[in-house]
Each structure stands twice: as structure tokens, then as C-alpha cells.
Amino acid sequence: MQRYFISKEQVEGQVIRITGEDVHHITRVMRNKPGDMIICNTEDGNSALCKITGIHEEEVQAVIESWLDESVELPVEVSLAQGIPKGDKFEWIIQKGTELGAARFIPFAAERSVAKWDEQKFNKKAKRFNKIIKEASEQSHRNQIPELSDVMPLKTLIEESEAYTVKLFAYEEEAKGEVANTSSFAAVLDNLSDNDRILMVIGPEGGISVEEADHLKGAGFQAIRLGKRILRTETAALYALASISYHMEEFRYKG
């Protein structure tokens, strides 16, 4: 059953009015008709089973049949701060990161980022990025759409980190070291609690520089390794999210 995200302005009592690109998706892609059922997600993360009652050129009307008692969100909030990568890698990261449960994506201008996004360039890309995030949220049956932040320099990112309970960054030098001398991601995961707010920093293709690592450590970030192998930037982001998801949703409650 297809899922759509709606704003509070689209809800009038038990009636929901769907507009914008979702109208095209409902009528042309899904070929829904009055009487068909869809799921609508509100801004506060609630989901409702709805019946389509009217289809018009610029609006689809539906009525709420029942509220669903469901949530697929991670028990922890994970924000992914991604050093700006080359090409379309960021699109891949936000799509798959949404499927894996990320709550927020923060592109940050790392020292070794080859791609440079100023405010104007990012604003041109943001519409497409947000569309990718929304569609991935619908596909993966998320209750909420992850937030996309503006591009941040490291200084601003460190200031933002004060709102988080767990602050981590993947550091290539950790993966090269001996096991006894590296920070254990597994130990971090073992100590997570429900409702923790996690900020995970992933460097661009060249990784986090020594100077950046020093600044992060000085701000209370813990350097971790993501396995013994050196991962591509897009792989590292998804490795971290998948590990958190597995540990908090599967391993912890396996019994």
C-alpha cells in the first residue's frame, strides 16, 4: 500500500487533501481510483489508513478510516554529517541512509572535499536531494522524513554537536592500527540507550585530516574504526547506519 507524507494544512477533520507531485503519482503511476486505500503520514510521525474519495486534476481527496499503531523509526536518533563527496555519491548516501533510518543529513565542507558547494550551488541541488529523501521515506515506510541541513563548515558542525549525547567520527588511521589501540565501535553500540542522539561524522574521499581529527577530539568526539578495511566514503556512511540499526533493532532484542 502506497504511503504519502502530508502537512497539517492538508488535514481538515477526517478529510485529507493531497496536492503537488503526489497527485501525479496517485493518478498516473499507481492509477488509483476512488475507493482505493492509501496510507498518509502526518508531520508528527503518525500514520493513517485512508480511503480515496475524490480525484481531481490538482487534488486527491481521502478520508481517514483509522489511525495505525506503528513505528519503524530507530530507537535512537542518528544524524549523518557527510563530508561532501564527488559526483552523485551524496544522492546515493541520502537515499540509502533514509532507508537505514537516518534522521538528519548534514553535508559538511571537509578539508579534503574535492567538490565545493557554496550556498547558491547547494540551493540548486537541495530540491532534488529533498525529493530523493521523500521518495526513499515512502518506499521504506518511514514514519518521518529525514531533515536535510544546509552545508556546514567544521566549526559550525562542532557547535551543532553540543545537542548530541553521542559524537563519533570514522577515522581511517583507526582502521590501520592494532585492535588493542583502536576505539571499538562495538563498545559504543553496547553503551547506546534508547533516545540517544548520535552524530556520526564521515569524511569525504580523502578522509578526515589530522587537523580536523584533532578539532573533533577536542570537542568530545570519539574516533572509531569501521572494520579493518578502508571503506569508500559512501560505504562508510551506510556501514555505520546499518551497524546501529542491527544492534538497536535486531541484536539487542534477539531473545
Side-chain angles (χ1 to χ4, degrees), residues 20-207:
E21 293 182 359
D22 288 338
V23 173
H24 172 81
H25 191 271
I26 290 171
T27 58
R28 303 299 182 187
V29 179
M30 301 303 296
R31 299 188 181 277
N32 287 133
K33 295 179 173 54
D36 289 345
M37 306 298 291
I38 58 175
I39 295 174
C40 292
N41 277 37
T42 59
E43 291 173 313
D44 57 5
N46 292 317
S47 304
L49 181 65
C50 303
K51 180 189 289 185
I52 296 175
T53 56
I55 294 179
H56 308 283
E57 186 174 346
E58 296 185 356
E59 181 179 283
V60 172
Q61 297 167 354
V63 63
I64 297 172
E65 294 282 300
S66 62
W67 290 97
L68 304 176
D69 183 17
E70 63 170 19
S71 178
V72 300
E73 297 302 311
L74 287 173
V76 292
E77 179 186 320
V78 184
S79 294
L80 180 67
Q82 174 66 52
I84 299 172
K86 295 184 292 186
D88 59 0
K89 292 179 182 177
F90 191 71
E91 295 182 4
W92 170 266
I93 291 167
I94 60 176
Q95 182 189 61
K96 302 308 175 186
T98 296
E99 293 177 29
L100 288 168
R104 183 186 185 193
F105 297 102
I106 306 172
F108 87 95
E111 182 179 323
R112 294 174 178 170
S113 288
V114 175
K116 306 297 180 184
W117 295 351
D118 56 22
E119 182 178 354
Q120 183 177 9
K121 188 170 184 178
F122 176 73
N123 287 340
K124 289 181 179 179
K125 293 175 175 287
K127 183 177 180 180
R128 174 166 172 77
F129 291 159
N130 279 310
K131 181 179 180 181
I132 290 170
I133 293 171
K134 177 177 179 292
E135 290 177 350
S137 299
E138 293 169 346
Q139 179 274 319
S140 58
H141 289 194
R142 291 286 300 269
N143 291 84
Q144 295 179 307
I145 299 175
E147 175 189 350
L148 175 65
S149 298
D150 292 335
V151 177
M152 295 182 186
L154 185 63
K155 180 181 178 181
T156 304
L157 181 62
I158 287 174
E159 292 170 355
E160 286 274 320
S161 75
E162 295 179 4
Y164 291 84
T165 56
V166 180
K167 304 187 290 186
L168 309 169
F169 72 100
Y171 195 34
E172 183 176 298
E173 297 307 313
E174 297 292 315
K176 296 177 182 177
E178 295 296 329
V179 175
N181 297 323
T182 58
S183 300
S184 170
F185 191 28
V188 172
L189 296 178
D190 282 338
N191 289 317
L192 291 180
S193 301
D194 288 354
N195 301 316
D196 265 337
R197 301 191 71 217
I198 303 167
L199 179 57
M200 172 65 72
V201 179
I202 304 292
E205 287 83 0

